[in-house]
Amino acid sequence: MTRSELVTALAERFPQLSPRDADIAARAILDAMCDTLIKGQRIEIRGFGSFAINRRPARVGRNPRSGEQVLVPEKRTPHFKVGKALREAVDNLKPTKNDSAA
């Protein structure tokens, strides 16, 4: 689902919201989530999941072309951990005809 699909779904689900208002609401929520993660804080949405920042320590890597050692700096990356309710709901989905056979 893209942001524009989310805005359309919000506008359809809540008729009192115009598409413009739904867009403003979606942007506000996503901006608040981004700002919280940038500050290094955790976001928890009960029944859905949590967002946190994972730290990847600095390490020594290798250039695949030349083989020389390269220092890879520390990184911080966003991480999503699915909540139990969502995980169980997805796990209990019935396969559809469009799902590929694994």
Side-chain angles (χ1 to χ4, degrees):
M1 173 180 270
T2 63
R3 195 185 89 225
S4 61
E5 291 170 339
L6 174 63
V7 168
T8 303
L10 282 172
E12 288 173 358
R13 186 166 179 185
F14 300 102
Q16 67 271 24
L17 284 178
S18 69
R20 184 169 186 261
D21 291 339
D23 183 48
I24 291 169
R27 282 180 193 244
I29 291 169
L30 295 173
D31 287 346
M33 291 175 73
C34 288
D35 292 343
T36 301
L37 289 173
I38 288 169
K39 292 176 187 174
Q41 297 172 344
R42 186 171 181 266
I43 301 168
E44 182 177 338
I45 303 170
R46 299 283 171 147
F48 181 71
S50 62
F51 297 86
I53 299 296
N54 278 358
R55 181 183 160 272
R56 292 186 185 172
R59 62 184 174 83
V60 176
R62 292 202 180 271
N63 181 331
R65 194 173 283 190
S66 65
E68 77 178 74
Q69 292 186 344
V70 178
L71 179 63
V72 179
E74 175 184 278
K75 280 188 177 182
R76 293 187 181 139
T77 59
H79 175 76
F80 175 72
K81 183 177 179 186
V82 68
K84 181 179 177 184
L86 179 58
R87 183 179 62 242
E88 288 175 352
V90 169
D91 191 36
N92 292 331
L93 281 178
K94 304 283 185 226
T96 62
K97 166 160 74 160
N98 294 336
D99 290 344
S100 59

